[in-house]
Amino acid sequence: MNIPFLDSWRKRQQPGSGMALPDAAGRDPEGLAELLSECELLRAHAQSAGVALDDSPSSLEELDQLQPRWREDPELESWLGNDAGLYLGTVIVRTVRGAGWAIREGDGQPVVVLANGREIDVVADGTAWAEDGAPELSQVYAEIAER
């Protein structure tokens, strides 16, 4: 699976001086959150459609209203879905008390962990949204925020 944020992260690391992504999650959670919030492709796509992504729950509703023109390009759909999941996670981490990023052991997938310990695979939700429009990003957020 292509994970766009890793390209940016790798470019910033000097050979031999960087740390593994799972280590970075434990040692620098703010840095990890900043890295995962980039979502460059999604932000550019949203901006071109007149949607401002301000990391708020209402911006998720605006994303849900976009025309899914990206579905004509399977590669774009995959990357955009990944970014949509990371953006969803960014909104959750910034607005839901006790939520934070973690890197899942085994596959290295970024996930959101809630205060109660529940793990949310936001990239899977973003990918499903990009492919099918469901679940809506705002609905996933609403279900998490009400707990």
Side-chain angles (χ1 to χ4, degrees):
M1 175 179 174
N2 292 323
I3 303 177
F5 73 86
L6 284 179
D7 292 337
S8 298
W9 180 78
R10 286 183 183 124
K11 288 177 189 174
R12 288 186 236 168
Q13 303 302 311
Q14 296 295 327
S17 66
M19 64 178 105
L21 193 56
D23 292 340
R27 294 183 187 167
D28 186 12
E30 291 83 20
L32 179 64
E34 180 182 332
L35 177 68
L36 295 175
S37 71
E38 289 181 2
C39 315
E40 292 175 27
L41 180 63
L42 180 70
R43 290 181 188 277
H45 187 78
Q47 184 178 21
S48 71
V51 174
L53 299 183
D54 60 1
D55 301 347
S56 70
S58 62
S59 66
L60 295 171
E61 293 173 9
E62 292 182 57
L63 280 175
D64 288 336
Q65 300 305 313
L66 290 179
Q67 293 295 319
R69 293 189 176 106
W70 59 84
R71 291 188 185 139
E72 298 167 9
D73 182 345
E75 186 173 327
L76 177 62
E77 181 180 81
S78 173
W79 284 73
L80 196 68
N82 189 75
D83 273 12
L86 295 176
Y87 184 72
L88 171 62
T90 296
V91 174
I92 294 167
V93 167
R94 292 188 176 167
T95 61
V96 174
R97 186 180 195 120
W101 286 106
I103 303 300
R104 187 169 49 206
E105 287 190 37
D107 64 1
Q109 185 72 27
V111 294
V112 172
V113 179
L114 303 179
N116 65 7
R118 180 175 168 216
E119 190 176 279
I120 311 296
D121 188 345
V122 291
V123 172
D125 289 331
T127 301
W129 172 82
E131 292 172 355
D132 305 321
E136 290 185 339
L137 301 174
S138 59
Q139 183 62 36
V140 172
Y141 175 83
E143 290 171 5
I144 291 167
E146 73 181 19
R147 293 179 181 210

